Structure formats: C-alpha cells, structure tokens
C-alpha cells in the first residue's frame, strides 16, 4: 500500500516526496506488511500501553464554572520516538508537566501538530467518540507534513480510546448526560539540539480537559448597534449567531502550496493578533478571505458554509473546496456534507467550489441568501448572524430565530449521533474500564 492510499497528496511535488520518504522510514510496515518483512524500527503499538495511576486525583468542576476553562483530567498518555529506536512503549500516567530542553526543536521551529475531538456522555448513559478514525488519519498527514514521524492511525485511535475509557467514567458522570470532554492528541519535536533539520526525536501525548460549549444559540455575537433615547451608544448586548469580520486584502491566513490543510500550530499563532483585535471591535471571529477576488476560506478556525438560491431558483449548500490545501479537511465539515447529501438530497444541491465574499454580498442584497454557518469541533455548528465586509454589515437570515433551518437540522442530526439518540457508525462507543495498575 502506498502513502497516498491513506494520505491526500499536497500540491507540491517536493513535499509529496518528502512525506513519502518520512513514512517509509518511520512507518515502514505500510510498505512491508504485504510481504511479511519486519520493519527495522519499532512502530507505535497501543497493545504495549503501560499504566501508572494518579494517586492525587482532582475534583470534577461544576458545569459552566470558571474551573472548566483550566481543568484537565487525571491522566494523560505519552509516547517517545527517536530516529534510532522508533516508538517506545506508550504510557498512561498522571497528568502533569512535560520536560523539555530549551533547545528543543518545537520551541524554535514550530515542529508541532495536534488534533481536537470530543468524548460525549450520551443520553443513553454510554460514552462515545465521534469519528476518531478521521482525526487519527488527519494527524498522520499533519505530522508528516512537518517532518514528524509517521504512525499507524489505528494505533493512535486505540490510545485515544484508552484514555477516554479510563477517565470518562469520573469526568463525564452518568448524572450529566449531554456533556463532553475535549481531547487533544499532540506531537512535538523534542530533540535537545538546535538546527534547521528533520527532528530526530518526538513526543506524542494525549490529554483531555473540560471545555465550555461555544455553540450556544445565545451569547455568541455582540450587538453594539443599540443607542439610548439621547443617541448615546447603549451597552453591548448579546444576540444569537456569530458576528464575523471579513479580512482585507492585506491579510492572509493560508495560501496554495502552503500548509493550511495541516493542523499545525504555525497555522494558528500568526492569526491570533488579528483575531484578538476583531474581538475588541465586537466580532467573534475573522472570516478569512484569499486573493484579490476575496475567496471565502474559513471562519476563524472553522469551515464556513452558505445556503443560497441561485438566480435560476436552485437551492445550494456551498463551501470552499479542499483542492488548493488552503483549508482544513474538517471532520465536522465532511460530516455535514455527508449527512446533507444523504438526507437533504431532494432539497439542496451540494457544491464544493471557490466562491467570493462579493457573491455572498450579492446574494444577500438580492434576497437569495438563506443562511450561513460555521462548522468545527470547538464551535460545532454555529449560525452566522452578521458579516462585516468592505464597510458594510451584511445581515445573515436565521429562519428559526437563533439559527437557520439547515444549520438547525444538521446540528440536531449530529448531536443525536454524538449523544446516542441515533445509532450510527460514526458514534464509536467507548467501554468504561476501572483503572488497571
């Protein structure tokens, strides 16, 4: 089997060759399994997971308390890799600090990638992950894009399930159905030597933490439009939906041939200053545009969708394509498209193409814009109420008051799978286990 069978190719021949070379050296069984040859280096193997119990467990915070923002669960998983030995045995151990030398590659050259997924406590009392195989495969692509070692994504998925199995029972009690934990698999280059070169050592770790819900129907957008009878601006109030600030020509998040499709820290850090300034001005996120024509890409770190009517009356669900590797292949994005094609095929056309913010503005002005929403793990399905573009505030329709019709439907369908109200192969049940020592 070739690397292209499990990884999408980039738009760059040199990068494609480098990714294949990285996989051949660090995940050799991908090539060798067919002829029974043993790989020269140890590969990631979840069956060798060791356990060390946390003897100082923490208290579970109350829902929506301030502690939710900073509380991690009792354990984490770590696994070290070196270029000479391969992957060591993974360890489930007490959550705690990592040890890094000041010269570690990750601190100087951004050799870091990560994933984000959630563990859900269902209304049927069971724990579930949502399509963790997609996250594991995507992390393999992100890791090899920045010269970190490859691994079998099925083994990473098993490790994610192991952490969820051990800490899920306590941190997502059955008395709190409809709640979740945020899981963050991460890989960093930790070799203790400076030098712009492929990392010779890396650390994979998986943590889980409490996390607030960002997709509440109220409290996302900040409404600053009201004034008092005396004409003085009133105190800002909250209103349903996200309020987005479209980026200008002098700012770009990702570009063709770059690494916008990889979930690496270097995609996020440079955007934070602009995002913070947008929030100071009353917006929730930046709607990132690309090129002189203002092609729509992502809303913050989420994929962006619009529903509109064409001028000849066809109803379409539209989102940016993956081909130029500018945007992330979001798990929520592909799930939205999958469910929509399966359940809304008689109502909508499904279009993955480049489209511009000017097209969105024209649809709004002509009354053809039906709704807009962002989709991602953190923000889940969040309706958009307003976009500021070229000096104008464009109101996005929300048929249901706090959401558009289709965003509401898709969000309900996905939540039903995540929380066990619908039996679906995307909802992977996690069996809870008492801690083994």
């Amino acid at each position: 089997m070739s690397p292209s069978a499990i990884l999408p190719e980039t738009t760059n021949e040199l990068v494609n060759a480098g990714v294949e070379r990285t996989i051949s050296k660090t995940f050799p069984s991908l090539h060798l399994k067919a002829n029974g040859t043993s790989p020269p280096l140890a590969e990631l193997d979840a069956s060798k997971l060791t356990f060390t119990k946390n003897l100082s467990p923490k208290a579970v915070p109350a829902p929506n308390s301030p502690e939710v923002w900073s509380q991690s669960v009792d354990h984490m998983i770590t696994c070290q890799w070196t270029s000479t030995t391969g992957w060591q045995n993974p360890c489930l151990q007490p959550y705690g600090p990592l040890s890094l030398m000041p010269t570690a590659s990750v601190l100087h050259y951004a050799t870091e990638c990560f994933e984000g997924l959630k563990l859900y406590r269902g209304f049927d009392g069971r724990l579930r992950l949502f399509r963790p195989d997609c996250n594991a495969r995507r992390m393999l692509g992100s890791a090899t894009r920045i010269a970190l070692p490859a691994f079998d994504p099925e083994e990473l998925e098993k490790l994610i399930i192991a952490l969820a199995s051990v800490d899920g029972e306590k941190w997502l009690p059955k008395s709190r159905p409809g709640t979740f934990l945020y899981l963050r698999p991460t890989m960093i280059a930790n070799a203790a030597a400076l030098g712009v070169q492929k990392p010779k050592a890396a650390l994979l770790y998986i943590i889980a933490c409490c996390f607030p819900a960002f997709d509440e129907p109220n409290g996302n957008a900040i409404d600053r439009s009201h004034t008092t009878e005396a004409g003085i601006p009133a105190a800002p109030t909250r209103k349903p939906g996200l309020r987005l600030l479209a980026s200008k020509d002098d700012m770009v998040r990702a570009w063709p041939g770059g690494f916008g499709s990889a979930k690496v820290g270097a995609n996020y850090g440079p955007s934070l200053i602009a995002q913070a300034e947008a929030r100071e001005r009353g917006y929730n996120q930046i709607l990132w545009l690309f090129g002189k024509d203002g092609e729509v890409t992502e809303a913050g770190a989420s994929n962006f969708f619009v529903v509109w009517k064409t001028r000849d009356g066809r109803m379409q669900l539209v989102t940016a394509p993956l081909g130029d590797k500018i945007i992330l292949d979001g798990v929520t994005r592909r799930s939205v498209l999958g469910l929509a094609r399966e359940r809304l095929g008689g109502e909508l056309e499904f279009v993955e193409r480049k489209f511009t913010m000017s097209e969105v503005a024209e649809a709004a002005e002509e009354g053809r814009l039906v709704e807009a929403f962002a989709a991602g793990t953190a923000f889940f399905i969040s309706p958009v109420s307003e976009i500021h573009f070229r000096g104008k505030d464009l109101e996005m329709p929300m048929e249901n008051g706090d959401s558009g019709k289709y965003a509401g439907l898709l969000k309900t369908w996905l939540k039903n799978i995540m929380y066990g109200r619908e039996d679906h192969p995307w909802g992977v049940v996690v069996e809870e286990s008492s801690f083994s020592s």
Side-chain angles (χ1 to χ4, degrees):
M1 183 185 297
S2 69
S4 61
I6 60 171
L7 289 176
E9 291 191 346
T10 72
T11 57
N12 186 301
E13 182 275 331
L14 196 65
V15 171
N16 287 337
V19 167
E20 176 138 8
R21 188 180 302 277
T22 297
I23 290 176
S24 68
K25 289 185 176 180
T26 60
F27 182 19
S29 66
L30 184 63
H31 297 280
L32 300 177
K33 281 178 181 177
N35 57 26
T37 305
S38 298
L41 296 177
E43 298 192 357
L44 186 64
D45 187 348
S47 70
K48 296 180 179 179
L49 181 66
T50 62
F51 298 82
T52 303
K53 187 173 183 178
N54 189 337
L55 301 179
S56 301
K58 296 170 283 189
V60 179
N64 301 317
S65 65
E67 292 79 15
V68 166
W69 285 92
S70 59
Q71 189 71 286
S72 296
V73 301
D74 293 322
H75 300 92
M76 64 182 186
I77 288 178
T78 63
C79 189
Q80 181 67 40
W81 173 90
T82 70
S83 60
T84 55
T85 63
W87 289 100
Q88 298 176 8
N89 293 345
C91 177
L92 193 150
Q93 64 193 58
Y95 177 86
L98 301 175
S99 178
L100 285 176
M101 297 302 289
T103 50
S105 172
V106 64
L107 302 177
H108 301 271
Y109 310 117
T111 43
E112 177 267 356
C113 68
F114 62 94
E115 270 301 320
L117 66 161
K118 292 174 180 176
L119 175 66
Y120 304 89
R121 172 62 76 182
F123 290 97
D124 61 350
R126 308 191 78 178
L127 294 173
R128 284 177 179 80
L129 294 165
F130 183 74
R131 308 189 75 177
D133 58 320
C134 296
N135 294 94
R137 285 176 176 267
R138 187 172 65 183
M139 188 165 175
L140 173 60
S142 297
T144 55
R145 178 64 181 84
I146 54 173
L148 288 171
F151 52 85
D152 186 338
E154 292 183 3
E155 297 303 306
L156 175 59
E157 184 180 353
K158 292 174 186 176
L159 292 176
I160 293 170
I161 291 173
L163 180 61
S165 174
V166 166
D167 275 341
E169 180 178 9
K170 170 185 172 179
W171 290 84
L172 291 176
K174 292 183 179 179
S175 60
R176 297 181 186 175
T179 56
F180 66 85
L181 291 172
Y182 189 86
L183 278 66
R184 172 54 59 86
T186 306
M187 195 190 301
I188 62 174
N190 63 345
L194 292 175
V196 183
Q197 58 186 324
K198 290 182 68 172
K200 296 182 179 179
L203 178 69
L204 168 68
Y205 64 90
I206 307 169
I207 57 174
C209 58
C210 302
F211 210 64
F214 290 134
D215 61 306
E216 296 300 324
N218 296 297
N220 279 331
I222 305 171
D223 187 359
R224 301 176 185 268
S225 62
H226 300 294
T227 59
T228 65
E229 291 183 1
I232 301 172
T237 59
R238 298 283 175 176
K239 65 178 183 179
L242 294 174
R243 193 165 182 247
L244 303 180
L245 175 64
S247 64
K248 296 182 179 179
D249 296 344
D250 60 355
M251 187 167 54
V252 63
R253 189 198 72 86
W255 52 92
F259 45 85
S261 61
K263 204 166 180 66
V264 297
N267 272 331
Y268 296 84
S271 70
L272 297 182
I273 187 69
Q275 176 183 300
E277 182 59 26
R279 289 182 176 175
E280 286 293 322
R281 299 182 186 188
Y283 301 95
N284 300 103
Q285 293 285 347
I286 291 178
L287 180 62
W288 292 103
L289 308 182
F290 175 75
K292 59 183 177 62
D293 295 327
E295 295 173 13
V296 177
T297 62
E298 294 188 337
S302 300
N303 297 121
F304 181 77
F305 290 81
V306 295
V307 179
W308 62 28
K309 290 181 181 178
T310 63
R311 289 193 174 98
D312 59 5
R314 291 172 292 130
M315 191 82 81
Q316 295 181 335
L317 175 68
V318 186
T319 194
L322 302 176
D324 285 343
K325 305 301 177 183
I326 293 177
I327 69 170
L328 193 69
D329 181 9
V331 177
T332 310
R333 175 191 184 275
R334 66 167 65 184
S335 302
V336 163
L337 290 171
L339 284 180
R341 289 187 172 110
E342 176 186 318
R343 303 181 183 186
L344 294 171
E347 298 182 41
L348 298 174
E349 293 180 357
F350 310 102
V351 181
E352 296 178 68
R353 71 164 175 86
K354 296 179 181 180
F355 66 103
T356 67
M357 192 57 216
S358 293
E359 289 182 83
V360 177
E362 288 175 3
E365 291 167 0
E366 296 171 7
R368 296 184 291 105
L369 186 62
V370 177
E371 63 182 274
F373 60 91
T377 301
F379 275 86
F380 191 31
I381 306 293
S382 289
V384 175
S385 61
E386 183 181 302
I387 302 175
H388 185 82
F389 175 59
R390 294 181 179 173
K392 295 182 179 180
D393 291 326
L394 303 177
E395 295 291 333
M396 303 289 108
M398 292 199 293
E399 181 179 321
N400 296 341
D402 59 5
S403 173
K405 169 187 173 182
Y406 295 104
L409 280 173
L410 290 161
K411 182 175 182 177
T412 297
W413 291 337
L414 287 170
K415 288 183 76 170
N416 285 346
I417 296 171
M418 294 166 175
Y419 290 106
R421 285 187 165 128
E422 177 184 341
D423 187 23
H424 195 284
W426 291 350
V428 178
V429 173
V430 175
E431 298 297 339
E432 299 168 50
S433 64
S434 57
F435 198 95
S436 302
S437 59

